[in-house]
Structures are given as C-alpha cells and as structure tokens.
Amino acid sequence: MALISGDANNKLSLDSIRDSLIRQEDTIIFNLIERIKYPINSTLYKEPSSSSSWNISGSLFHYLFQETEALQSKVGRYLSPEENPFFPDNLPASIIPPSKCTPVLHPAAESVNVNEKILDVYIKQLLPLFCITDQADEGNFATIASCDIQLLQALSRRIHYGKFVAEIKFRDCTDQYKPLILAKDRDALMKLLTFEAVEEMVKKRVAKKALTFGQQVTLNIDDSSKEVKCKVDPSLVSRLYDEWIMPLTKLVEVEYLLRRLD
C-alpha cells in the first residue's frame, strides 16, 4: 500500500520530476568538468598491500567515501527519499529528526539501490573514458576523492529518480502496468517505460549543455574565428546518458515497479 496523501499526490507530477531531472543534468556536467581536471590516480582505488602503512579495510577511496557518508548520515542526508547511500550497512543514525512530510513513494523504494553497480561502472568504465591515466602518483587523494564522491552522488540521485518516474507512470497508467508487474515481466515493463524520442532529446540536450558550460573562454578579439575548445567532450556526455545513466534509471524503474504491489 502506498503511503500517499492527497496533498502529496498533487506535488508529485511528471512535469515536476522532469524539471528536477533537467536541473540534475547541470549538476552532473559541472561535477564531471571538475573531476576531469585530475588524472585517474589508480593508487586511490587499489586495495592496500600487506606492507602498506594504511590501517584501513579496502581501498583509500572506499575509506574516504564511507567516512563521508557516515558524516552526512548523521546530519540527515539519507532521510531524504532522493538520496541512496553507497555503503548502507551500519550508517550512523541522524541527529536531525525525520521530516513529517507524507511519503510519496511506496515503502519498497527503500529496497531499490543500484549504487554498487554505479560505483563499479564508474571506476572501471567511466573514469578511463573521461580522465587521463596518471603517469606518476602525485597524491591529491583527498581532492580527487572529493570530486569523485560529489559526481557519484549526483549520478546516483539522477539514476534513482527512476523511482519517482515509475511511481507517477504507475499512477497514470495503472491498468497497463499492473498485469505486467503481477506477471513479473521485466522485458515488457522495460519496453513500456522506454520512450526513444525522449531519450534522443535528452542526449542532444546534455551534449549542448556540455558544449555551453564547458567552453574555454578567452577575451581574444578573433575568438569567433577559432574552433571552440571544450573542457569535456559533448559527445562523451551524450554517451554517458545513452549507455549508462538512462539504462540504469530504467533498471531502477523496473525494480521499483516489481516491488510496487508486494
């Protein structure tokens, strides 16, 4: 049973969700521009050797990320349905009391979390795609990890917004979705959730934003005669959405819907 009041129902609309997703594009692109200033720095993501002086479990990046989430959890970050932790086990309780707002998602939303997959894709596929491989280990661990964490959290927020998308689509077309959910037909749900024209528009929009936000700006008089230089390749940003963000969002939508009637 969904915990939704009439007032909450009015606040949740496809237009409001769409506006939020468009704003999140800006956040992702700006965080991506900030991250690609630095090399990959592979030492940050490696498990420490037995001879290492680091007294931690796992990589330095995982340690920094877990400590960041723990601190943010204490001040209520993960009380918001928009936020999903990458390391949910044993997060400290919030010192901030929970909001009294009526939930707009089904309680099953809490069990839908694809951050493990997002983190794996980010380290193994996205970093090599956008960042140069470090020629020498120059440290900068905290700065690079901070950029990674902000970008990963922005990606996670965008992808897990699929829960809100699925909820509003389910409400608008319950008769279409309910039989597929009861039949556990993932393929049919994925097809129903896919709007190719919308996805093409999103890819074009994020590419244009990357071109606009990432231009190298100078004050030379003859700027107009020179080729525009970008801090991030717009085609790669479009590819980021096409191959990772939108497919993972739809995965979240399907997983949410399959739990929606439990």
Side-chain angles (χ1 to χ4, degrees):
M1 177 179 176
L3 303 176
I4 302 169
S5 70
D7 180 60
N9 188 56
N10 290 333
K11 292 180 181 178
L12 187 65
S13 70
L14 202 54
D15 285 341
S16 66
I17 292 170
R18 186 182 297 112
D19 289 344
S20 179
L21 293 177
I22 290 173
R23 292 194 301 271
Q24 288 179 54
E25 293 168 1
D26 303 354
T27 303
I28 289 171
I29 293 169
F30 280 121
N31 279 316
L32 184 57
I33 290 172
E34 187 67 18
R35 176 59 184 90
I36 62 178
K37 294 193 303 186
Y38 304 100
I40 291 177
N41 199 334
S42 55
T43 304
L44 182 62
Y45 313 100
K46 289 180 179 178
E47 297 282 330
S49 65
S50 57
S51 61
S52 173
S53 60
W54 298 350
N55 186 25
I56 59 174
S57 175
S59 70
L60 181 58
F61 175 66
H62 279 75
Y63 171 76
L64 290 168
F65 204 167
Q66 289 181 72
E67 291 296 304
T68 299
E69 282 201 337
L71 179 60
Q72 293 175 340
S73 179
K74 290 180 180 179
V75 291
R77 182 182 185 111
Y78 301 108
L79 296 177
S80 168
E82 297 183 11
E83 303 293 346
N84 296 265
F86 282 79
F87 303 96
D89 297 337
N90 302 316
L91 279 178
S94 172
I95 62 174
I96 309 296
S99 169
K100 294 182 180 180
C101 294
T102 305
V104 295
L105 296 177
H106 188 279
E110 294 183 8
S111 67
V112 180
N113 188 326
V114 298
N115 275 338
E116 184 176 352
K117 185 173 184 64
I118 294 172
L119 183 56
D120 184 69
V121 167
Y122 180 80
I123 292 176
K124 294 180 180 178
Q125 300 180 51
L126 300 186
L127 282 179
L129 184 65
F130 287 99
C131 301
I132 62 171
T133 304
D134 47 329
Q135 301 299 317
D137 181 7
E138 298 180 356
N140 261 344
F141 295 131
T143 301
I144 293 175
S146 177
C147 292
D148 282 327
I149 291 167
Q150 290 185 67
L151 178 52
L152 276 163
Q153 289 178 330
L155 290 169
S156 173
R157 188 181 306 110
R158 167 59 177 81
I159 289 166
H160 285 99
Y161 240 72
K163 299 176 191 180
F164 294 93
V165 175
E167 176 64 30
I168 195 65
K169 287 181 178 178
F170 176 83
R171 291 189 205 173
D172 288 345
C173 303
T174 302
D175 291 343
Q176 280 186 286
Y177 282 98
K178 190 172 182 178
L180 302 180
I181 296 170
L182 293 173
K184 305 295 183 184
D185 193 335
R186 293 174 179 270
D187 291 338
L189 284 171
M190 185 67 75
K191 184 176 181 180
L192 188 58
L193 290 164
T194 300
F195 296 89
E196 293 183 359
V198 173
E199 293 182 2
E200 285 298 319
M201 181 179 64
V202 170
K203 289 189 292 182
K204 291 178 180 178
R205 185 173 62 235
V206 296
K208 186 173 182 179
K209 285 184 176 182
L211 176 64
T212 303
F213 301 159
Q215 288 187 44
Q216 297 281 5
V217 177
T218 68
L219 298 179
N220 294 331
I221 297 177
D222 60 344
D223 275 354
S224 59
S225 64
K226 294 183 178 180
E227 182 180 353
V228 174
K229 293 183 179 180
C230 292
K231 299 171 186 176
V232 58
D233 186 340
S235 67
L236 289 183
V237 178
S238 176
R239 182 181 169 190
L240 170 65
Y241 268 77
D242 182 34
E243 296 185 18
W244 292 285
I245 291 180
M246 290 191 291
L248 284 171
T249 301
K250 287 188 287 186
L251 174 62
V252 166
E253 292 178 38
V254 170
E255 293 302 320
Y256 175 80
L257 288 171
L258 289 174
R259 294 166 170 79
R260 181 64 173 71
L261 298 180
D262 291 344

